Amino acid sequence: MFDYNELMQMAKDASKNAYCKYSNFKVGACVLTDSGKTFKGCNFENSSYGLAICAERCAVGAAIVNGETKINAIAIYSPNTDNCYPCGACRQVLSEFKNGDIDVITEENGKLKITKLSYLLPESFSL
Ligand code: THU
């Protein structure tokens, strides 16, 4: 099994590259796919504020473009807050690529916390 501490470290590394000059709120994420590969993402904002892309969706996109569509886990980190959970839009996007269920890994007081996506987004929409 992949070490979730390592996944969190990659999310932390990714948060350093966040482009967030409007909110100053840095977020990094790293997804773990079925094949054991990892893909990092960070949030990137725009002068047209509504176009901001979250770290989680950036990481999901990186997985998709590399042909990986089955996500087992995602670590999310922000130096600006404890327990940085994915926003509602990102929960829905993650749900599209779930492999069974997804472990959502956050950090609370320096300790990993694992929450199932199905708990964060019950009764999700799918076609
Ligand atoms: N943000 C994320 O990257 N992930 C989330 O789950 C919530 C919010 C980003 C978007 C924006 O760049 C900044 O955090 C403030 O909302």
Side-chain angles (χ1 to χ4, degrees):
M1 190 184 147
F2 198 91
D3 182 0
Y4 283 167
N5 287 294
E6 216 178 300
L7 201 66
M8 177 55 76
Q9 187 53 53
M10 286 188 266
K12 287 183 178 181
D13 290 346
S15 74
K16 292 180 185 141
N17 289 333
Y19 181 84
C20 54
K21 61 194 267 191
Y22 304 103
S23 73
N24 281 320
F25 192 87
K26 289 173 182 273
V27 186
C30 191
V31 298
L32 173 67
T33 63
D34 197 28
S35 64
K37 291 184 182 159
T38 57
F39 300 92
K40 291 190 279 187
C42 64
N43 57 328
F44 56 101
E45 300 180 346
N46 193 274
S47 56
S48 178
Y49 298 163
L51 299 181
I53 301 290
C54 293
E56 296 90 327
R57 273 177 284 162
C58 180
V60 169
I64 299 303
V65 76
N66 283 286
E68 300 278 323
T69 56
K70 290 182 180 158
I71 294 174
N72 289 0
I74 182 168
I76 307 163
Y77 177 79
S78 171
N80 302 96
T81 186
D82 236 15
N83 257 330
C84 187
Y85 283 120
C87 75
C90 290
R91 292 175 195 200
Q92 177 65 28
V93 168
L94 284 165
S95 156
E96 180 78 23
F97 303 108
K98 63 185 178 225
N99 189 31
D101 205 347
I102 292 181
D103 282 337
V104 176
I105 301 140
T106 56
E107 195 180 78
E108 187 175 48
N109 295 321
K111 275 187 64 183
L112 294 189
K113 189 173 172 194
I114 303 172
T115 312
K116 290 286 181 192
L117 181 65
S118 60
Y119 175 79
L120 298 174
L121 187 69
E123 312 290 353
S124 63
F125 177 79
S126 67
L127 292 176

